[in-house]
Amino acid sequence: MQLIPAIDIIDGQCVRLTKGDYDQKTVYGEPLQMAREFERLGYRRLHVVDLDGAKSRHIVNVDTLRAITSETSLVVDFGGGLKTDDDIGRAFEAGASMVTVGSVAVTQPELFGQWLRKYGPERIILGADVRQGRISINGWKEDSAEELLPFLRKYIDMGVTNVLCTEISKDGTLSGPAIHLYKEVMAAYPDLHLIASGGVSSEADIQALSDAGIPAVVFGKAIYEGRIDLARLIQSHRC
């Protein structure tokens, strides 16, 4: 299973929200310092979210992204506020290896398709943030009419191979991941590289996802709250 630590950024600081609520924010320190620690322990991937960008609908924390990619060897996927050609270009110019795009896939499917063709499916991750079975957009501030499985089908048919799926009701709660949801996705699309996100509270949760056949997991709050031994975890899973 691919293990992907997460860094969410507001005002240049590493933070975690609860259920995407900007009013329920906990600050955990400096992003570059955290990224260096992940690298020191042997992790190779990193998920970075520009929460300021998601809220303002354009990329904001590009300098923090550039610092992480220039001062570590981590393979970084970046999301949050990617709404235009300029936004995605700036993210790649700042060193992102991949970008996670969610809202544009809902609101501007033609533009998403252009990016998928231009950059390739290996560099574009489809973000599928789910609340009550429907895709949420714009920093989880709005719920669309798109239902998860048909939404995924549309873009898999266009060539998407990587999907980051977050169950919003679980995110930041440390209440355990929505394993049933990810199993449903994998049953429908067994060749998909699905990255599960939301609710991970322990190494046991990650093992349960692995046992369920989920290819990858993003996790953050459990790290910062000291619930996961990162050194032990990396020894027991392939990253």
Side-chain angles (χ1 to χ4, degrees):
M1 184 181 220
Q2 189 175 48
L3 304 173
I4 309 174
I7 290 177
D8 292 356
I9 303 169
I10 291 178
D11 294 333
Q13 296 179 306
C14 180
V15 306
R16 296 300 292 178
L17 307 182
T18 299
K19 299 182 182 180
D21 186 347
Y22 284 72
D23 292 328
Q24 297 187 61
K25 177 184 73 175
T26 305
V27 177
Y28 290 101
E30 201 276 322
L32 178 56
Q33 181 180 352
M34 292 303 307
R36 284 172 170 161
E37 178 64 8
F38 296 145
E39 182 180 41
R40 184 188 70 80
L41 290 169
Y43 290 84
R44 298 197 293 270
R45 277 285 304 274
L46 180 64
H47 177 62
V48 175
V49 180
D50 182 355
L51 289 175
D52 292 313
K55 191 173 185 179
S56 63
R57 304 188 185 188
H58 63 85
I59 189 172
V60 173
N61 286 290
V62 67
D63 290 339
T64 303
L65 170 63
R66 184 177 289 107
I68 291 171
T69 60
S70 63
E71 298 191 38
T72 75
S73 61
L74 294 166
V75 175
V76 176
D77 76 80
F78 179 84
L82 301 174
K83 298 293 191 290
T84 66
D85 289 334
D86 180 64
D87 288 325
I88 197 170
R90 291 177 69 202
F92 283 132
E93 183 275 331
S97 298
M98 294 160 279
V99 293
T100 299
V101 181
S103 297
V104 164
V106 174
T107 61
Q108 301 180 74
E110 291 185 2
L111 179 59
F112 182 88
Q114 291 173 15
W115 289 350
L116 189 63
R117 291 188 294 274
K118 179 176 181 179
Y119 297 106
E122 69 281 358
R123 301 196 76 188
I124 302 291
I125 301 171
L126 176 63
D129 301 331
V130 184
R131 180 161 40 213
Q132 297 182 342
R134 298 185 183 276
I135 302 299
S136 184
I137 60 175
N138 294 327
W140 302 350
K141 298 298 182 184
E142 303 173 39
D143 292 333
S144 75
E146 296 272 7
E147 295 183 353
L148 176 60
L149 292 183
F151 177 74
L152 296 182
R153 175 79 275 165
K154 175 170 59 177
Y155 285 112
I156 290 170
D157 289 345
M158 289 176 58
V160 162
T161 57
N162 297 285
V163 170
L164 173 65
C165 185
T166 302
E167 170 52 71
I168 295 170
S169 69
K170 294 282 191 177
D171 191 73
T173 65
L174 300 172
S175 61
I179 294 178
H180 65 284
L181 176 68
Y182 308 127
K183 282 184 174 181
E184 183 180 3
V185 172
M186 293 305 299
Y189 311 119
D191 296 328
L192 188 66
H193 185 78
L194 178 65
I195 307 166
S197 173
V200 171
S201 67
S202 64
E203 294 165 56
D205 283 341
I206 292 175
Q207 186 60 53
L209 287 165
S210 180
D211 291 344
I214 310 305
V217 59
V218 162
F219 54 105
K221 192 169 187 177
I223 298 170
Y224 304 113
E225 294 290 327
R227 294 182 175 227
I228 287 178
D229 184 324
L230 287 171
R232 182 172 62 203
L233 180 66
I234 199 170
Q235 292 172 2
S236 59
H237 292 267
R238 289 185 63 188
C239 293

